[in-house]
Amino acid sequence: MTLRARLHRQLHIGSWPNGRLTGLNIFVVWTILLALLVGIVATEPQIRIPYQREILIAEFVFGMIFLVEYVGRIYAAPEREGPGSAWAKRWRFILSPIGIIDLIVVAVSLAPFFIANAAVLRVIRLLRIVSILKFSRFSAAMREIGAALRERSYDLIVCATLALVLVLLGAAGLYWVEGSLQPKQFGSIPRALWWAVITLTTVGYGDVYPVTTAGRLVGSIVAIGGVLLVALPTGIVAAAFSDAMQRRREAMARALEDMEGSIPE
């Protein structure tokens, strides 16, 4: 087995039976957890100021680990199944969603050592939270749920379209009914959109609300429609989650049966 094949076997979950984590993957998972912990704790001034040197060292170590992992995944990418040359497969990984996430995490982890602007640094340090997205690679459940949601993407798009239509109609209705009465809140459709979104999601902060009978009627329609529309994607996501867990249980049962069948009597 070549070095690239061994590295691919260590880094990619699908290369191992039942998608279990390898020792290298477990190390990366712990690195992600520690990087998140340091990133969260570093936002507290009483901790960041006295331990600034230690935090910088930890950030550098995490950044280098993520960089080595990223380069290793690019190097091992040609071992993945599928047609194409070695560099075509590498580019396929680099431009994939998880490859872009890996690149962002590396850039965000190492950027503080090359940027001096304090305001930009605060944003970059906050973006380190995106490293939590790397867990989708290591979680079989997340992969199953993602596949189930992709299967129901059309249903979710329909729900999102209906919600958008209702929000726009509600905002236009309040602009037409109360635009002259409350110009600051409903003087334009963009201003009324805030109220429409909050009403549709049934949050209701109370900072903006209609004062006329016609305006309250429009608000009631948007609120009732919001209750119905929020229930639709909730049911779709719940069904997708249930299907994903069922497939996971069936796959584990088949793997167990295969293992038992391979054991000689």
Side-chain angles (χ1 to χ4, degrees), residues 19-151:
R20 66 181 181 180
L21 295 179
T22 65
L24 186 56
N25 280 325
I26 292 173
F27 172 74
V28 174
V29 167
W30 277 106
T31 303
I32 295 171
L33 289 173
L34 291 174
L36 283 171
L37 179 62
V38 171
I40 292 170
V41 170
T43 60
E44 173 54 52
Q46 294 185 357
I47 298 178
R48 183 182 67 250
I49 294 174
Y51 296 100
Q52 185 174 5
R53 181 174 177 272
E54 289 79 4
I55 290 174
L56 286 174
I57 293 174
E59 289 176 347
F60 179 76
V61 171
F62 294 143
M64 292 306 299
I65 292 174
F66 292 143
L67 176 61
V68 171
E69 180 210 6
Y70 180 66
V71 173
R73 290 188 182 279
I74 294 176
Y75 174 71
E79 295 295 330
R80 306 180 75 174
E81 296 181 1
S85 64
W87 274 106
K89 294 179 181 179
R90 288 190 175 108
W91 279 111
R92 193 181 307 162
F93 165 75
I94 292 172
L95 299 177
S96 67
I98 194 65
I100 294 173
I101 290 173
D102 284 348
L103 179 60
I104 292 174
V105 170
V106 171
V108 168
S109 299
L110 296 177
F113 301 96
F114 303 98
I115 297 176
N117 188 295
V120 175
L121 272 179
R122 283 196 294 271
V123 176
I124 290 175
R125 293 179 188 277
L126 182 62
L127 285 176
R128 284 180 301 179
I129 302 299
V130 301
S131 61
I132 199 171
L133 298 177
K134 288 168 66 68
F135 278 121
S136 62
R137 170 185 286 124
F138 304 106
S139 173
M142 289 294 292
R143 294 195 298 274
E144 292 287 349
I145 293 173
L149 289 177
R150 284 192 294 273
E151 292 176 0

Side-chain angles (χ1 to χ4, degrees), residues 239-260:
F241 182 83
S242 177
D243 292 346
M245 293 301 98
Q246 181 63 30
R247 283 200 297 265
R248 177 67 175 166
R249 286 191 292 267
E250 292 174 354
M252 293 179 66
R254 287 195 299 268
L256 183 59
E257 291 175 359
D258 293 340
M259 291 177 60
E260 292 176 349

Side-chain angles (χ1 to χ4, degrees), residues 173-188 191 208-216:
L174 261 294
Y175 165 68
W176 179 61
V177 172
E178 297 198 4
S180 59
L181 297 176
Q182 300 188 71
K184 184 177 180 181
Q185 291 82 5
F186 304 114
S188 67
R191 292 183 185 182
V208 181
Y209 53 87
V211 295
T212 64
T213 302
R216 289 170 181 169

